């Protein structure tokens, strides 16, 4: 119950900020939302995209799932939650940016790399297999490297797999080609506290917001 009490206290703080006094934000948001950015992030409790970026309600449309994965476009019977959210963000909300936000210490990618992932559950293993191309690439190029380095490489490669899968959606591909939507691959390094972005020119993730250095005492 201690956690629940913390959440209720947090809601009261949120309530005071946005509903007590003269705040107009939710008066406008109650009529419509108009975010310009879709973020596809991990469900990991340490990686809240709104918290990481200091956003307010209404600033970003967010999809979160295990390992921030995007499945390829398909119309087979099933419950395509990520695809439905993507379609709504692109076609209805007309977002201008789609960000795939990966991160270090990702449990989903750790599961993908596990030789016994089939034992993790009936849903986890088939889901993380979406990023299997990343696993194969890391296995080919970095088989002799230590596990932390291979996991980091796989986490970043999985972001690129999701970016590639985004382009299999015909209506998104069309908007990207027309420069109406821009795709971004970001990676949050939680050990260093920095944000990296994938640069196609270099083929690597480079600091977008570098780590902060504490001032000498």
């Amino acid at each position: 119950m201690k956690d629940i009490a913390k959440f209720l206290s947090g809601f009261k703080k949120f309530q005071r900020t946005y509903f007590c006094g003269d705040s107009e934000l939710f008066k406008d948001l109650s009529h419509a939302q108009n975010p310009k950015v879709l973020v596809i992030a991990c469900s990991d409790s340490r990686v809240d995209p709104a918290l990481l970026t200091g956003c307010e309600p209404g600033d970003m449309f967010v999809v979160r799932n295990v390992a921030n994965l995007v499945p390829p476009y398909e119309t087979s019977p099933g419950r395509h939650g990520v695809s439905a959210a993507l379609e709504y963000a692109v076609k209805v909300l007309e977002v201008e940016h789609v960000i795939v936000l990966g991160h270090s210490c990702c449990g989903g990618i750790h599961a993908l790399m596990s030789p016994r992932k089939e034992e993790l559950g009936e849903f986890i293993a088939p889901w993380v297999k979406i990023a299997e191309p990343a696993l194969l690439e890391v296995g080919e190029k970095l088989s002799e490297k230590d596990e932390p380095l291979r996991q980091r490489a796989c986490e970043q490669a999985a972001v690129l797999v999701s970016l590639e899968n985004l382009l299999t959606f015909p209506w998104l591909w069309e908007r990207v080609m027309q420069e109406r939507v821009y795709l971004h691959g970001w990676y949050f390094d939680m050990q260093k506290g920095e944000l990296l972005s994938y640069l196609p020119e270099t083929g690597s993730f480079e600091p977008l917001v570098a780590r902060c250095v504490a001032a000498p005492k």
Side-chain angles (χ1 to χ4, degrees), residues 111 114-126:
S114 171
R116 303 173 65 180
K117 59 176 162 286
E118 305 298 341
E119 300 176 11
L120 296 173
E122 58 187 310
F123 299 113
I124 295 173

Side-chain angles (χ1 to χ4, degrees), residues 12-39:
K12 289 177 181 178
K13 181 179 179 182
F14 166 83
Q15 188 182 58
R16 287 194 300 270
T17 302
Y18 293 106
F19 289 90
C20 299
D22 299 324
S23 176
E24 297 290 324
L25 179 60
F26 272 90
K27 290 181 182 178
D28 295 332
L29 289 178
S30 65
H31 299 295
Q33 60 171 321
N34 188 35
K36 298 301 181 186
V37 177
L38 162 65
V39 178

Side-chain angles (χ1 to χ4, degrees), residues 71-93:
Y73 175 80
E74 59 182 358
T75 56
S76 60
R79 293 176 170 87
H80 305 291
V82 175
S83 302
L86 176 64
E87 183 176 47
Y88 186 77
V90 172
K91 290 179 149 185
V92 179
L93 297 177

Side-chain angles (χ1 to χ4, degrees), residues 93-105:
L93 297 177
E94 297 184 335
V95 298
E96 297 172 3
H97 300 272
V98 179
I99 301 169
V100 178
L101 175 61
H103 68 98
S104 61
C105 308

